[in-house]
Amino acid sequence: MRKLIAFISGLLFGLGLIIAGMANPAKVLGFLDLFGAWDPSLALVMAGAIGTAFVPMQWAQRAARSLSGEPMQLPGTRQIDRRLVLGALIFGAGWGVAGFCPGPALVALGAGFPQALLFVVAMLAGMLAFQLYERRTTA
């Protein structure tokens, strides 16, 4: 049952990204181009996502278990630290340069966008580099 819920959730998420245009790097870059030919349509997508997630997040913060019976796994801290800020800056820079973030990049890869392959390879390399760095600094 858990795998079916994960599959349906992923399918809905991917379809939502395609319908919203988030898997199209040109649309994303148009949204990020505030001083050029700005395309505000993704702001409506973000507002809709925040509005849709608000009530379930309120419930999740009080629940011990998810609807599938699994333990609820939410972030343990709300502290803004150097790692969070640096990660957000790197994420934002990658998003602004490539027009992809991880979820839409995987959807675009599945849809056959060739530039998504380069992004996903670079993303995986960055994840590996971070894991190696974490092992080195915590050992």
Side-chain angles (χ1 to χ4, degrees):
M1 183 65 163
R2 195 169 69 179
K3 289 183 181 183
L4 179 62
I5 291 170
F7 176 77
I8 292 170
S9 297
L11 184 64
L12 286 173
F13 181 67
L15 287 172
L17 292 174
I18 290 169
I19 291 167
M22 298 241 356
N24 180 354
K27 182 146 183 94
V28 172
L29 292 173
F31 171 69
L32 296 173
D33 186 7
L34 297 177
F35 301 107
W38 185 54
D39 177 2
S41 62
L42 292 184
L44 297 173
V45 172
M46 288 184 190
I50 291 168
T52 301
F54 182 77
V55 171
M57 281 302 297
Q58 298 302 309
W59 172 81
Q61 289 175 343
R62 291 189 280 281
R65 298 206 166 272
S66 70
L67 292 176
S68 65
E70 299 295 317
M72 193 62 71
Q73 296 180 7
L74 297 174
T77 181
R78 297 181 75 165
Q79 180 181 350
I80 297 173
D81 59 5
R82 188 177 73 115
R83 285 179 59 178
L84 177 65
V85 172
L86 288 174
L89 288 171
I90 293 168
F91 177 89
W95 196 34
V97 168
F100 286 122
C101 59
L106 294 175
V107 171
L109 182 63
F113 281 84
Q115 64 268 44
L117 178 60
L118 179 60
F119 180 88
V120 170
V121 168
M123 177 179 72
L124 293 173
M127 292 166 68
L128 177 63
F130 177 75
Q131 285 182 345
L132 294 173
Y133 172 78
E134 281 290 294
R135 282 190 204 142
R136 196 173 61 108
T137 59
T138 57

